[in-house]
Each structure stands twice: as C-alpha cells, then as structure tokens.
C-alpha cells in the first residue's frame, strides 16, 4: 500500500461534516473511557514567549492513538506570527496503520484543523448548553473564524452571528465573503461589548490579554474560549458554574486557563469535567437554565487524527489524493 498525499482541495472534496462531527463526538467519549492516547502537546517555543530565539514562532507536536479507529497519527504545526499571511500557522497530519506497519496518509493540516476546531464549538453548543443558541457572537475574524461561522451554520440552527475584530475592516471582509453562503444572517459589531448579548460567545483570537470584560456578560452566557493565550479575564473563569475542558493538563498549560494555573490560582480540582465525561454521562451536575458554562477546548491531536482517518477511509478509491511511496 502506498502513502497518499492529500492537498487542501482533496480534503475539501472528500470531507463530510456530519461524519466529522461524529468522529469528534465519539473520540471525546472514548478519551473519557481511557481508549485514546493523547499526550499533552509538545511545544517548542521559538521566541513567542519573549525568549531566544527571537523568531516570534512556536512548534507544536500532537501525537495520538485512537483505538476505535485503530490508528496512530500526529499533527505537527508551526506558527510564524511575523508572517503577513491570513493563516500564520502551517501544519501536516500523518496517519499510520499499525497492523500493516506503514504510513497511510499525509494531509495538509490547516483546513482540517479549522473544521475540527469549529466542530469543538458545535459539540459544546449542541451537548453542553441547556438551550439551543439562536445567536452566536464571534470575537476574532482571522483564519479560524471563517470555519466557526460556516461549520456552526451548517450543523446548527443559528439565526444570527455577530462578529467583532479589533481590525474592523477584516471583520467586514470576512462577513462579506462568508455571509452570502450562510443560512444565518451575520452582523459586524463595532465593539467587543456588542457581541456579548448573544446566547453564546466564541473567542477565537491570538490575544494575550482579555478580549472581554466580566461586567459585560450575562449570567447565563455560554462561552467557548479557543485561543492559545489568555482571552478571558480571571473573573470570568471564576464565575463559571460549569468549567469544562477537553484535556485537563493541556488546558492548564496553554489557552484561557494557563495564566491562572501558572500563578497557582487554578488547579485540576477546579475543572468540573472534560467534555468527554459529559458526553459519556459521567458528569452528574445538570446544566440548569441561567448557568454559566465555560468550555475551553484547547484542541486534541486525537481529534485531528480521528477526523483525518475517517476522511481517508471514506475517500477510498474516489481519487484526488496522490500516492508517493
């Protein structure tokens, strides 16, 4: 068997969102049941932390074994923040068949990452919230925001998106590009405060300082924090009635919770549940109307591997990918 190369166009052609959603949902559940190996991300700082070398970049390795698919894989991503590209992160996903002892595929990783990240939001809105969200606010209009809008719109019955970015022109450009293809209407907000009246708010930025203020938020707002850095004020984290993550150790090292954890103000015991535990029925506290849910899915390599493997299997001999070995 040869190793197949998948370019972005091959992935766009072959990807089925409903199947990818099921891959994410089941992998979350199997992770909670101990049937997935997903070590914390291995991060190599290349100056993004202010230290040497001064490249303002970082590298992340995300290996995983997903038992229900019997696949080993890894995503390798490098972020180059000095780039003027709309997508400063590049990544590849590798898949390996243990039984046949061979690599089966190498896939362009950024499109799959965008879809997978948006599917995390869909799982949160669909399975963690006490009520369906008719309106969703999105803070950040970069590469990931495009997927948040399109994937959430495709899989959930959202009526309105409200989009904000500190670069208003970028937000308007994204709304103009994506809006005509959405069933929901999209509104561009003039200030971050204008998005918090939505039923749910998604922060998807590279900000290292909070992009929202606790005083702006309603008591029962459903929050999804996707950024690699701080994004939310400490008060908002403390105000959560349900703090749900995808991977406890990983979320204490990177993302919205990392600063508080580093200061010793947040520990493993402060996390109420993983999303897998909730989906598997292992979280006993129901989410009541008016409860604040804070969902922090920093991203599992296992999800990338599972979605990629499902795509590879469903693609079969349909053509498009390129065998190289």
């Amino acid at each position: 068997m040869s190793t197949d190369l998948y370019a972005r166009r091959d992935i766009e052609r072959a990807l089925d969102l409903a199947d990818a959603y099921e891959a994410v949902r089941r992998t979350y559940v199997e992770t909670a049941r101990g049937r997935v190996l997903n070590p914390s991300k291995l991060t190599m700082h290349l100056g993004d932390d202010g230290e040497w070398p001064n490249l303002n970049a970082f590298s992340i390795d995300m290996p995983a074994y997903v038992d229900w698919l019997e696949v080993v894989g890894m995503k390798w991503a490098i972020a180059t923040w000095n780039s003027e590209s709309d997508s400063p992160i590049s990544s590849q996903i590798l898949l390996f068949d243990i039984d046949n002892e061979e690599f089966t595929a190498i896939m362009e990783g950024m499109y799959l990452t965008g879809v997978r990240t948006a599917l995390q939001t869909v799982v949160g809105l669909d399975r963690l919230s006490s009520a369906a969200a008719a309106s969703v606010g999105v803070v950040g209009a970069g590469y990931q925001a495009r997927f948040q809008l399109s994937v959430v719109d495709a899989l959930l019955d959202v009526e309105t998106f409200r989009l904000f970015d500190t670069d208003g022109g970028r937000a308007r450009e994204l709304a103009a590009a994506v809006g005509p293809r959405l069933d929901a209407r999209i509104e561009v907000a003039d200030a971050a405060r204008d998005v918090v009246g939505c039923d749910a708010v998604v922060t998807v930025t590279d900000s290292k300082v909070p992009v929202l203020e606790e005083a702006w938020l309603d008591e029962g707002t459903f929050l999804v924090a996707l950024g690699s850095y701080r994004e939310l004020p400490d008060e908002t984290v403390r105000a959560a009635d349900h703090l749900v993550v995808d991977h406890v150790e990983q979320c204490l090292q990177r993302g919205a919770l990392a600063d508080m954890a580093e200061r010793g103000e947040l520990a493993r015991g402060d996390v109420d549940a993983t999303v897998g535990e909730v989906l598997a029925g292992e979280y006993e506290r129901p989410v009541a109307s008016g409860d604040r849910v804070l969902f922090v899915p920093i991203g599992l390599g296992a999800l990338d591997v599972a979605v990629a493997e499902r795509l590879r299997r469903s693609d079969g001999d349909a053509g498009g990918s390129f065998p190289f070995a």
Side-chain angles (χ1 to χ4, degrees):
M1 182 185 293
S2 63
T3 303
D4 289 330
L5 290 175
Y6 284 77
R8 172 170 174 157
R9 63 180 178 274
D10 306 317
I11 296 167
E12 290 187 69
R13 169 188 55 79
L15 184 67
D16 179 87
L17 280 180
D19 188 70
Y21 173 87
E22 178 57 22
V24 168
R25 187 205 64 80
R26 181 165 178 182
T27 302
Y28 272 147
V29 172
E30 295 299 315
T31 300
R33 292 173 174 166
R35 305 298 298 175
V36 170
L37 296 177
N38 193 103
S40 294
K41 298 177 182 179
L42 174 62
T43 301
M44 179 172 65
H45 293 286
L46 297 167
D48 69 309
D49 57 354
E51 302 294 333
W52 181 91
N54 302 316
L55 301 176
N56 196 23
F58 65 82
S59 168
I60 292 180
D61 299 330
M62 302 168 65
Y65 168 68
V66 182
D67 187 67
W68 71 275
L69 291 169
E70 297 183 324
V71 62
V72 177
M74 184 185 78
K75 184 172 78 174
W76 182 27
I78 298 180
T80 51
W81 299 121
N82 285 331
S83 170
E84 295 182 359
S85 167
D86 186 47
S87 175
I89 302 178
S90 301
S91 66
Q92 302 286 339
I93 298 172
L94 286 76
L95 301 176
F96 188 83
D97 184 329
I98 286 284
D99 290 336
N100 292 311
E101 301 178 343
E102 61 186 0
F103 285 98
T104 56
I106 300 174
M107 297 188 182
E108 190 280 328
M110 285 311 298
Y111 185 82
L112 273 181
T113 298
V115 171
R116 181 267 290 164
T117 304
L119 288 170
Q120 295 173 169
T121 299
V122 173
V123 169
L125 293 172
D126 188 35
R127 306 301 292 272
L128 304 182
S129 179
S130 63
S135 58
V136 176
V138 179
V139 180
Y143 180 81
Q144 291 281 359
R146 180 181 301 268
F147 294 92
Q148 294 293 314
L149 296 168
S150 59
V151 174
V152 172
D153 181 73
L155 295 177
L156 297 177
D157 189 19
V158 174
E159 297 175 3
T160 304
F161 290 103
R162 196 168 297 157
L163 176 66
F164 171 76
D165 193 277
T166 53
D167 183 341
R170 182 162 70 167
R172 288 188 291 273
E173 288 176 8
L174 178 58
V178 176
R181 299 194 294 271
L182 302 181
D183 291 328
R185 68 178 179 272
I186 181 168
E187 303 170 354
V188 176
D190 294 326
R193 185 169 188 166
D194 295 336
V195 307
V196 298
C198 295
D199 299 325
V201 176
V202 180
T203 56
V204 57
T205 77
D206 60 2
S207 178
K208 296 182 180 179
V209 297
V211 297
L212 301 176
E213 294 184 17
E214 172 58 26
W216 301 346
L217 296 167
D218 294 333
E219 194 173 74
T221 302
F222 187 96
L223 294 171
V224 184
L226 296 171
S228 293
Y229 302 106
R230 189 177 176 194
E231 284 198 320
L232 300 178
D234 297 351
E235 296 83 358
T236 297
V237 176
R238 296 191 185 101
D241 298 297
H242 307 269
L243 176 55
V244 181
V245 303
D246 55 356
H247 188 289
V248 177
E249 289 78 13
Q250 196 165 271
C251 285
L252 294 178
Q253 296 171 7
R254 192 170 189 86
L257 309 181
D259 276 13
M260 291 182 68
E262 186 175 353
R263 298 195 304 266
E265 298 175 13
L266 190 77
R268 183 185 181 92
D270 297 310
V271 176
D272 293 304
T274 67
V275 59
E277 290 168 342
V278 176
L279 296 178
E282 298 173 8
Y283 182 51
E284 297 180 353
R285 288 176 52 209
V287 178
S289 177
D291 281 359
R292 167 83 62 80
V293 177
L294 171 54
F295 181 34
V296 185
I298 195 64
L300 302 182
L303 300 185
D304 296 303
V305 170
V307 171
E309 177 65 7
R310 289 287 295 179
L311 182 149
R312 185 190 71 82
R313 294 185 186 185
S314 65
D315 190 38
D317 297 322
S321 60
F322 177 75
F324 80 102

